[in-house]
Amino acid sequence: MILTVTLNTALDLTYAVPALVPHTSHKIHAVAERPGGKGVNVARVLSALGHETVVTGFAGGATGAVLRDLLGALPHGPVDALVAVSGNTRRTVAVVDGSTGDTTQLNEPGPHIGADEWAAFLRTFGELLPRAEAVALCGSLPPGIHVGAYAELIRLARAVGVPVLLDTGGEPLRRGIAARPDLVKPNAAELAQLTGAREPLRATHDARRRGARSVVASLGANGLIAVTPEGVWRAAPPSAVRGNPTGAGDSAVAGLLSALAEGLGWPERLARAVALSTATVMAPAAGEFDRAAYEDLLARVTVEQQTPAA
């Protein structure tokens, strides 16, 4: 199975309005509610692709109960191994402007996690690791969790030989990458913050030198760039699309992990990641992907090796 970790789960709400106009009232003509947080989004896509997936992290309060109910109702969905906490799980709100297709995102910080709750999570994580083919550590840290938390989890996974993908930003990324994860997937802004370099290829090389075995950087509408032991690769969709980008990076992570679990090479991993992320932007609700669009895009993603392995 594939294990995804979401320390800051969320109840994702998507509001569709005819046009988003500041300083005015809006009538919402469509509402979608989904279990969310980066690792939950990854797990949902992995399950849709047919992979056995387990979700762990934290959930609490009335919002956490709704999230868990929605997670349990998913057809062939991921297994819920979330750890209960006393605080209330956060909400995220995506407001989709029907006139432009653009999205405005509002994110709550999440509940405070106490020392006993963190210890309970570590026990759960340790029990799940031996059965995992791979682990994805995803998203922000809720209040109360130390900034080296992902580095701690990476070391635990490496100690039992489980490959680890890290998808976070800021100081948790800086600490985590030094613990030598197998794969890091930052976006362009996270990459620039980590390295100080704004040229994507230079920044991706710099990130890999900091400890990761491979780095796959998300460049938004321009696709992905990957610096790996097998060489440097670029992958791009056939054309730019407009829509709701919520969850697109998480779908890319799911594509990378699923292809890794299936033993596919870098061209197939990157093509799947780009096709899934693009199909997610095209879907009407946060964190979903348009399956027909995905299957069409998969054959049309451009993947080029720029530099062979050294």
Side-chain angles (χ1 to χ4, degrees):
M1 63 90 169
I2 298 175
L3 176 63
T4 74
V5 174
T6 312
L7 298 179
N8 210 6
T9 57
L11 180 63
D12 287 341
L13 302 172
T14 302
Y15 294 154
V17 298
L20 183 61
V21 182
H23 316 299
T24 65
S25 296
H26 296 78
K27 288 188 176 180
I28 299 168
H29 63 75
V31 179
E33 195 174 53
R34 299 287 187 275
K38 293 180 73 64
V40 174
N41 291 339
V42 171
R44 191 168 57 241
V45 175
L46 285 168
S47 295
L49 293 172
H51 287 270
E52 180 189 356
T53 311
V54 176
V55 173
T56 191
F58 298 110
T63 309
V66 173
L67 182 151
R68 299 184 83 160
D69 286 345
L70 292 170
L71 192 62
L74 292 173
H76 312 295
V79 174
D80 177 355
L82 294 167
V83 175
V85 294
S86 60
N88 201 38
T89 294
R90 68 190 178 122
R91 294 162 296 180
T92 70
V93 178
V95 183
V96 181
D97 185 328
S99 66
T100 64
D102 293 332
T103 301
T104 298
Q105 189 79 21
L106 304 172
N107 297 330
E108 295 180 357
H112 186 276
I113 304 300
D116 290 347
E117 292 166 336
W118 176 245
F121 167 78
L122 288 178
R123 288 193 295 273
T124 297
F125 184 71
E127 291 166 359
L128 292 168
L129 268 181
R131 295 193 292 113
E133 301 171 77
V135 175
L137 308 175
C138 303
S140 61
L141 299 179
I145 298 294
H146 64 97
V147 293
Y150 283 138
E152 180 178 357
L153 299 182
I154 290 165
R155 286 191 288 268
L156 290 172
R158 285 178 56 84
V160 294
V162 179
V164 185
L165 182 151
L166 177 63
D167 183 13
T168 189
E171 190 61 22
L173 173 59
R174 192 180 306 277
R175 300 282 187 96
I177 203 170
R180 307 185 67 80
D182 295 88
L183 177 59
V184 174
K185 197 216 71 64
N187 60 34
E190 292 162 346
L191 196 60
Q193 184 182 17
L194 174 69
T195 66
R198 299 209 170 266
E199 197 286 311
L201 181 58
R202 177 181 176 185
T204 307
H205 275 290
D206 189 347
R208 184 168 181 253
R209 284 192 291 269
R210 292 167 184 260
R213 177 173 172 80
S214 299
V215 178
V216 177
S218 175
L219 306 179
N222 294 320
L224 302 172
I225 184 169
V227 177
T228 78
E230 289 76 26
V232 176
W233 308 80
R234 283 187 184 264
S239 61
V241 299
R242 295 188 74 110
N244 184 355
T246 303
D250 307 328
S251 290
V253 169
L256 294 168
L257 278 175
S258 63
L260 171 66
E262 293 169 26
L264 302 179
W266 277 107
E268 293 83 4
R269 295 183 205 179
L270 296 172
R272 184 176 293 184
V274 169
L276 279 170
S277 61
T278 305
T280 299
V281 173
M282 298 168 68
E288 302 295 331
F289 72 94
D290 185 314
R291 183 172 291 275
Y294 162 64
E295 293 173 353
D296 173 66
L297 287 161
L298 190 58
R300 299 193 294 122
V301 172
T302 301
V303 181
E304 297 178 347
Q305 185 174 19
Q306 297 198 318
T307 307

